[in-house]
Amino acid sequence: MLEVVQLECRRGDRLLFSALDVEVGGGTLLHVRGRNGSGKTTLLRALCGLFTPERGEIRWRGTPIAELGDEYHRDLLYFGHLNGIKGDLTGVENLRVTTTLDGERLDEQVLWAALARIGLQGFEDLPTRMLSQGQKKRVALARLVLSRAPLWVLDEPFTALDTAAVALLETLIAEHVAGGGIVVLTTHQDVPLTSGQVARLDLGS
Amino acid sequence: MLEVVQLECRRGDRLLFSALDVEVGGGTLLHVRGRNGSGKTTLLRALCGLFTPERGEIRWRGTPIAELGDEYHRDLLYFGHLNGIKGDLTGVENLRVTTTLDGERLDEQVLWAALARIGLQGFEDLPTRMLSQGQKKRVALARLVLSRAPLWVLDEPFTALDTAAVALLETLIAEHVAGGGIVVLTTHQDVPLTSGQVARLDLGS
Amino acid sequence: MSDFFAQGGYAFFVWGAYGMTALLLVIEVLQLRARQRTIRARLGRLMRIRDAGANDQ
Amino acid sequence: MLRLFWCILSRDLTLALRRGTDVLTSLFFFVIVVSLFPLGVGTEREVLQTLGPGVVWVAALLASMLALERLFAADHVDGTLEQMLLTDQPRALLVLAKITAHWLLTGLPLVLIAPLVGMQYHLAGAAVGVMMLTLLIGTPVLSLLGAIGAALTLGLRGGGILLALLILPLYIPVLVYGAGAIDVAATVSVADTRPYFELLGAFLLVTLVFAPVAAAAALKISLE
Amino acid sequence: MLRLFWCILSRDLTLALRRGTDVLTSLFFFVIVVSLFPLGVGTEREVLQTLGPGVVWVAALLASMLALERLFAADHVDGTLEQMLLTDQPRALLVLAKITAHWLLTGLPLVLIAPLVGMQYHLAGAAVGVMMLTLLIGTPVLSLLGAIGAALTLGLRGGGILLALLILPLYIPVLVYGAGAIDVAATVSVADTRPYFELLGAFLLVTLVFAPVAAAAALKISLE
Amino acid sequence: MALNWFKFASPASFYPIAGRLVPAFWIITLVLLGLGLYWGFFETADRLGGSNAQKEYYRIIFIHVPAAWMSMWLYVVMVGWAAIGLVFNTRLSFMMANAVAPTGAIFTFLALWTGAFWGRPSWGTYWDWDPRLTSELVLFFLYIGYIALHSAIDDVRRADRAAALLAIVGLIMVPVIFWSINCPDPNQCAALHQRSDLTQIDGNILFAMLAMTFGFWTYSFATSFMRLRGIILQRESENAWVRDLLDTGDKA
Ligand code: HEM
Ligand SMILES: Nc1ncnc2c1ncn2[C@@H]1O[C@H](COP(=O)(O)OP(=O)(O)OP(=O)(O)O)[C@@H](O)[C@H]1O
Ligand SMILES: Nc1ncnc2c1ncn2[C@@H]1O[C@H](COP(=O)(O)OP(=O)(O)OP(=O)(O)O)[C@@H](O)[C@H]1O
Ligand SMILES: [Mg+2]
Ligand SMILES: [Mg+2]
């Protein structure tokens, strides 16, 4: 479903990788690995259309993403270094905004349930700036519980999470992959990613 | 050398911990553990004098740190969630500023050597904003190589680092502890901290 | 000759205008040449470093 | 579509209202700048009357411009803007919602406070009415144009002052006709201000159509 | 101690110079604001002459204030400020170094550009000289006072405009005496400006002693 | 045809072409400027006496008017390249826009400066808020805005596009801004009169003025190509052809 064809990315005047070919089918987890600075984040941003590669193409269901535009965004969930939540809004409010942006129309109940599932019971209606590093990350991750996008792109989703949260996230990823979805992720931590089909991509020499 | 006496910390109206007593002698590594939101970061900031606790006292060599003031800072190296480096300065320039702030007067050579040791050969004179997440963290960590402060307080120093960098950082910590220093750190990753005497402190229920 | 430089008493204005024009244009050209030189020097250095690095491996 | 517009609008308003002072600061800035002039220039009645329209509009320009920095910056820093760009809904609409919220918080208050300022500068009642009307039509243009600049300078160090550099020259037409209308109302007659309003209205329509699109494109570029 | 001062000063200057335009933006902002007024107020010679001193000083206030946001904000966001507070060197000295760099980059250029502005407003030669001198003594006061406000509003959303709110009232004495001196020089005589300069000088001395200490204390509070 | 254009539109092939053009432009520039200055200073002296007497400061016209023309023309050129870059995503056009901007800003400044040095002896003031002068000042701000925005952004690709977008928005606004300055009172705009008319100017003066204008034009070509070459080298330093170029010690 997701194809990367002869991709070449540069940052500044540094060539990160070239002639990269990858194909990821449904029900697969692609683990992108590499040293610090090998270009993992750059690749993930390119996959989302947030970074324009120097050369090559990225195709989703056979069509280049540059042509797909907004349609592609409907199928995509990106989770970057930044959490993408507002410190002044509560967990529920944050979740409501992100799901509306995803084009979903959800009940209040569902939102609370998602936050409870991610381990934030009792913190749902605190402004998120009052949460700790890891709790903020959890609020952001609650989106995954509700997402119906087939393609998840996750850049180091495990940082700052405690062991309980890491286990939960693993389950979420496993469920998504089992349901025929695609997950592209990076992580430096040793996380047992045993869900479905696991492909590995190594960047850098 | 570092004593925490009946410490109580609150954030907002939430009691994080109370009546906390810890004593850490030279040559010890204190690993602070706990769930997300259990108050690790708050404790570490309190140890540095960046957060005023509700009750209780922190003593360094027997004197409360509030009385010590600048003298305490001479003995302290704090490494927080933020890297504390300027994106517009190169690695060397950043290191020069931080070491000057630490009151040291070092040769150019020494700075370059420190950066090389931390695995940034070839990146020393690039503005650090052009580095990846993990490389930025490395620039910040280069300070540890040069530090002569006996007390290191490190808040999740392992995030974003690749395996090579994690190993290097472990060595640095081990050396520091072996040399009679104190390290207080938090981390959610399973990092083999076998250096010298390891104490563990668990926060949260 | 000195008549010419006096410009009928308006020397300051005439030469002020022409002078600034000449000055700016000359500065622009000099600055461009200096820049070209530094760029070349920098590229040369970069390439030598890279070549040296390639030989090491 | 309308649901998205409403969601973003109410989100931005909620955010601003949570920090009570946010709504007031831009207003106070306007009032302070307007009040500084008599201190620097002297307080004779005639001088102030000639000055009034110009000062009001320059202050409105500055207040609107200062607040612009906040339009996208906060969302940029915490990554929510990035998430917004990855939605499948039209981006220009989203930008328009943000601009609307911004204007409601920073433009509208200026219109409402205008009579007070008119008093400070001894303007006649008719002139004050015209002033309010020019501000009502003119400040949205400022917000709309400014959004483009705010999007372009997103995340740059010294963005605030750079934004001023980019945007203030573009504000000149609004300034000229806004201040001009008040001046004409004060010195000639209110009837003569009609062409001014026609022009301001035309600016508003044109920017309303094009600015959100341009700002959305600029955001895309800035987040690359 | 001097080494620390020099290290921070050169660090800040390097940072600004790396982004070539940083030095110029505050200057151009000043020039643009000054140039906006005639567009709003009208261009008669006499009006401009009475306006001149006031406009120059209000513009200087605004330019200095806008640039203030950058004084600590960047260092706060990337955590370098926190590191600076954990040094064992006197914090006030460190703050003074940052203020000095800030003034060199944003205050001094205003002094140098002043003659041009004087021309735009048809001010006489003597008045222009006085204007430069008042700016030379007055702008450091603005930077010093502003540093306190910048430290207090650090990291607050809408900090820019909140800062304006806190700081502009404190700037009023400088504005009154700065603009006053130019006005006196233009309309009465240069000799009569002496008391104005004595007052401005006194402001400078007092703020030079107290402002860095206060700003350092404010920083400590803001980072808690 | 199309292929050819693409060939020239690549920095690699344009670099040597620009290198060969620069000296040619310099020669033409020197000739034209020399001719214009000689004509302006020595062949128009007859205008000094007589009924409709000019004072010597009229000689400023030979740089003032050409500089003012170039300032506006170069802005249009700059926006043109920027727009082409945005639409067709060609790197070279962005570089062109970048290369033109500083020269344009310099000419704008010169128009202002020489105008001021003319205004002082003829109007008795260095500066007045005449519409024409004000518009030129605004143009200067627009140039500075473009340059400032471009240099404030680290990532050149983002800088190119952001600055290009700004330039285009600026160009759309320019007529509105200039018109609003020229006609602050819409009730009386119909009365706005034409200020100058080229056909009324003395032939010799016109000749010198045109020579200077074309001289400035070729000067702009020369400097922007020089700047362009620098930009190309900087941005393409990873590419093989730059390495070959440096290895062979190209001096062009
Ligand atoms: C600081 C800005 C400027 C000043 C002070 C200035 C001043 C002058 C003066 C004093 C003259 C002599 C003609 C006369 O006395 O009417 C003149 C002529 C001229 N200026 Fe400017 N000017 C400025 C900007 C411009 C600009 C922006 C243009 C753009 C088109 C321009 C175009 C011309 C032309 C074409 C003439 C000759 C027209 C004629 O002979 O009537 N000037 N300028
Ligand atoms: N600025 C704040 N205002 C109010 N409460 C806060 C603030 N920052 C943190 N808290 C609260 O303090 C508690 C402890 O936060 P802290 O950052 O110390 O946790 P932590 O142990 O470091 O967690 P993590 O592992 O997620 O980093 C959290 O429950 C959080 O809700
Ligand atoms: N804004 C930028 N400008 C120029 N170069 C950059 C920029 N950002 C990153 N780079 C360079 O691009 C390379 C890859 O960066 P990227 O962030 O993709 O790495 P990464 O694989 O995600 O590393 P990490 O594991 O440390 O997060 C790095 O070598 C870095 O120097
Ligand atoms: Mg990364
Ligand atoms: Mg923490």
Side-chain angles (χ1 to χ4, degrees), chain C residues 4-25:
Chain C
F4 177 74
F5 283 114
Q7 286 291 325
Y10 295 103
F12 174 70
F13 301 105
V14 174
W15 299 129
Y18 277 87
M20 179 54 88
T21 309
L23 185 73
L24 279 191
L25 299 192

Side-chain angles (χ1 to χ4, degrees), chain F residues 46-249:
Chain F
D46 55 320
R47 305 293 299 172
L48 284 174
S51 57
N52 191 11
Q54 298 275 359
K55 300 270 175 39
E56 273 80 352
Y57 55 74
Y58 83 96
R59 285 182 169 135
I60 296 175
I61 203 175
F62 304 120
I63 41 177
H64 171 67
V65 176
W69 282 345
M70 285 317 295
S71 68
M72 292 180 278
W73 173 237
L74 289 181
Y75 191 80
V76 175
V77 170
M78 181 185 91
V79 176
W81 284 122
I84 292 175
L86 265 194
V87 175
F88 299 104
N89 203 11
T90 42
R91 278 173 298 163
L92 189 62
S93 7
F94 285 127
M95 298 186 201
M96 290 271 200
N98 274 327
V100 172
T103 306
I106 287 178
F107 278 122
T108 317
F109 179 78
L110 284 178
L112 290 167
W113 180 271
T114 54
F117 270 64
W118 190 342
R120 177 69 209 200
S122 77
W123 302 339
T125 174
Y126 281 107
W127 179 262
D128 200 354
W129 292 95
D130 175 80
R132 205 189 249 169
L133 319 193
T134 312
S135 330
E136 188 75 3
L137 185 63
V138 172
L139 188 65
F140 187 54
F141 292 148
L142 292 177
Y143 270 117
I144 296 295
Y146 177 92
I147 296 172
L149 180 63
H150 197 284
S151 65
I153 304 178
D154 310 318
D155 182 349
V156 280
R157 288 196 318 172
R158 176 182 163 192
D160 278 344
R161 289 177 215 201
L165 190 73
L166 176 75
I168 292 171
V169 172
L171 189 69
I172 297 169
M173 291 293 296
V174 158
V176 184
I177 297 172
F178 285 11
W179 182 64
S180 74
I181 293 172
N182 271 301
C183 169
D185 184 352
N187 292 313
Q188 285 151 35
C189 269
L192 196 71
H193 57 273
Q194 203 63 38
R195 272 156 188 278
S196 61
D197 184 357
L198 279 185
T199 54
Q200 287 174 1
I201 302 178
D202 171 78
N204 279 327
I205 292 185
L206 186 62
F207 176 77
M209 232 163 67
L210 288 181
M212 292 299 287
T213 305
F214 285 109
F216 278 175
W217 197 354
T218 49
Y219 169 88
S220 313
F221 266 110
T223 49
S224 36
F225 279 171
M226 281 171 78
R227 194 171 289 116
L228 182 65
R229 276 161 60 84
I231 295 173
I232 291 179
L233 268 196
Q234 234 169 352
R235 298 222 198 149
E236 304 275 305
S237 57
E238 277 280 308
N239 290 4
W241 69 267
V242 175
R243 213 164 305 175
D244 295 344
L245 196 82
L246 292 178
D247 285 347
T248 55

